[in-house]
Amino acid sequence: MDVFNNLAGGIVSILTLQNILLLGAGVTLGMIVGVMPGLGPSAGLAILLPLTFGLDPTGAIVMMAAVYYGSMYGGTITSVLINTPGESATVASTFDGYPLAKQGRAGPALIMAAIASFIAGTIGAVLISFFAPSVASVARTFGPPELFLIVVVGLLTLIVIVGKNRLLGVISALIGFALATVGIDVGIGAQRYTFGSTELINGIDFIPVAIGLFGVGEILHAMWRGGHLEKLDYQKISLRGKGFWPTRADFKESNGAMLRGSFLGFFTGTAPGAGATVASLMSYNVEKSISKTPERFGKGAMAGLAGPEAANNGASAGAMVPLLTLGIPGSSSTAVLLAAFLMWGLQPGPLLMEQNPEFAWGLIASMYLGNVMLLLINIFMIPTFANVARVPFRVLAPVIILICALGTYTIHGSILEVWIMLACGVLGFFMRRYGFSPAALVIALVLGPLAEETLRQTMIISGGSFGIFFERATSMWLLAVMVALIAVPLLSPWIRRIVNVRVRDVGRRRREQQRAEERKDVNS
């Protein structure tokens, strides 16, 4: 009953005209960010964060969360219409979304994607309502050793599961930790790496780094790929066009995929570092493997679009669980949200739901209403949002860079932070160019102070002994997860070779048995 009472209180707290308008604005802005090639939820959140200055914390976070899950669907529009994913989480949507658009079925594809997003978002909100309080109650028993290990596990998960090159991922995280050391050493009160600058005494602010890496960096990388020269193969759609709405067969084909993708995405998203990209690709592989007609996948299978769409939106909801209950961002997007929490004086973690219940449950309640808004806006404004994708990139790029510079300057009125943002933009370009992980850098930068503080506290408690990590049951479990994350990639080639040999042996024995039976039949 506590869940229903808390949820009812959360709904009441957000049912004000201002919060509803902010929720609608967040969903709409998220859609626009999503359909702009080269941007994504991380860049959109970082760029739009200055817009929330002056708002109350609940309204500001409701708006930013709406931008977060609204941009997830915005990327689907470009994936379907122009075969260009708005961000990595919608890559799987291009596999069958664009073939459907080329068959003249862009309308049904986008509507089914919107319905899948709505179902996954709603299921995710329900699961958060029941799952988050339980996780928070367990997390309240954690001490400094467990919190430090959770930070390490989250980064390892991001590096091992998502990263293409694990060494470069580790280097990216170490750069983030290094940037987090700039400022005042809380242990002894001395300045570190400030080079005499009074503006760096409080450290390097997260927002200029995030805007530079995800905003300017993405734009520079897109220009390097020739995005300003591309002529897009755009598939036109119209609300009045023939065949705009999905058929009964489309729903029959996609119902199971939506439900499977929703649950798979949510529980994948709750693992720090896994994220929507992993969830969507996993869902696509699952749907193809269980389909009775796998040959249709890649050629316009509606289940191949609905499953990944449900998964990436389910994962975006799931990623809110570790953020709200542990204060650990599971992705670069939730890392920006964590920075927003801290900026408004709110500390995500085990005590958030206890100390600020109206805020935490208001945010959860807003997800129910936000998904309804997202569904209606998606269905009836698809052609309008699709036209944003037709704006030439050479026009968008300078406008976005200007917005990045203005947004950075308005935070503290600091020219130094603008230079930091531009420098991080160049760094972000080279990181994308050579396979480094901007997400790992950002998450390490955000979690660096927490990791340093909890490690110091752990060492003080244990008298400088690392044996404390082996004396506590929860710490032992987390260490086992870390060992598994490190060992599985190292052992996977060896395991794969053994499995392939066994499969070949089984196949050879079966063929020999069949030949023996054939010879027996001939002799008889």
Side-chain angles (χ1 to χ4, degrees), residues 125-433:
V126 172
L127 292 174
I128 289 174
S129 302
F130 290 92
F131 196 50
S134 301
V135 176
S137 63
V138 173
R140 279 196 290 272
T141 65
F142 288 1
E146 288 82 8
L147 290 175
F148 173 74
L149 290 177
I150 286 174
V151 172
V152 178
V153 168
L155 281 168
L156 276 177
T157 309
L158 176 71
I159 292 166
V160 171
I161 295 180
V162 182
K164 295 179 181 178
N165 187 311
R166 297 181 184 93
L167 176 60
L168 298 182
V170 171
I171 294 173
S172 302
L174 291 176
I175 294 173
F177 278 129
L179 292 176
T181 62
V182 175
I184 297 293
D185 184 333
V186 293
I188 60 176
Q191 295 186 28
R192 298 184 302 193
Y193 312 116
T194 59
F195 303 102
S197 172
T198 56
E199 293 188 76
L200 291 177
I201 290 177
N202 292 325
I204 294 178
D205 194 78
F206 166 83
I207 301 302
V209 176
I211 292 177
L213 288 176
F214 296 117
V216 178
E218 293 286 345
I219 293 297
L220 294 177
H221 188 263
M223 292 178 67
W224 175 80
R225 290 189 293 104
H228 58 297
L229 303 175
E230 291 179 358
K231 293 183 179 180
L232 302 176
D233 183 14
Y234 180 78
Q235 308 293 322
K236 294 183 179 181
I237 57 175
S238 170
L239 284 171
R240 299 179 180 179
K242 185 179 179 181
F244 177 77
W245 299 97
T247 64
R248 185 175 299 176
D250 292 331
F251 283 100
K252 185 177 180 181
E253 179 184 354
S254 304
N255 286 339
M258 291 180 189
L259 291 175
R260 286 187 292 270
S262 299
F263 286 98
L264 174 65
F266 179 84
F267 289 107
T268 302
T270 57
T277 304
V278 174
S280 61
L281 293 172
M282 287 174 60
S283 175
Y284 186 84
N285 290 330
V286 167
E287 296 307 320
K288 186 175 181 179
S289 64
I290 67 175
S291 175
K292 296 179 180 178
T293 55
E295 67 278 358
R296 291 183 58 233
F297 280 70
K299 300 177 182 177
M302 193 64 77
L305 174 64
E309 275 303 300
N312 67 37
N313 282 273
S316 67
M320 299 294 286
V321 174
L323 175 66
L324 292 174
T325 59
L326 300 174
I328 304 295
S331 64
S332 55
S333 302
T334 49
V336 181
L337 284 178
L338 174 60
F341 276 88
L342 299 175
M343 191 173 67
W344 287 300
L346 296 164
Q347 178 62 59
L351 298 178
L352 179 66
M353 289 189 166
E354 185 178 309
Q355 296 176 348
N356 302 97
E358 70 291 339
F359 168 79
W361 286 100
L363 174 60
I364 294 172
S366 74
M367 298 180 70
Y368 290 91
L369 182 57
N371 278 292
V372 174
M373 284 187 175
L374 188 61
L375 178 65
L376 296 176
I377 291 173
N378 281 337
I379 290 178
F380 295 105
M381 296 189 68
I382 283 174
T384 303
F385 284 114
N387 287 331
V388 176
R390 303 178 67 181
V391 178
F393 184 79
R394 60 182 180 275
V395 175
L396 285 176
V399 173
I400 292 171
I401 292 176
L402 179 61
I403 292 173
C404 289
L406 290 175
T408 301
Y409 183 76
T410 56
I411 298 172
H412 299 119
S414 171
I415 292 295
L416 177 62
E417 290 191 346
V418 176
W419 285 112
I420 291 174
M421 182 272 295
L422 293 174
C424 288
V426 176
L427 176 63
F429 163 73
F430 284 107
M431 292 185 77
R432 286 289 306 274
R433 174 74 178 83

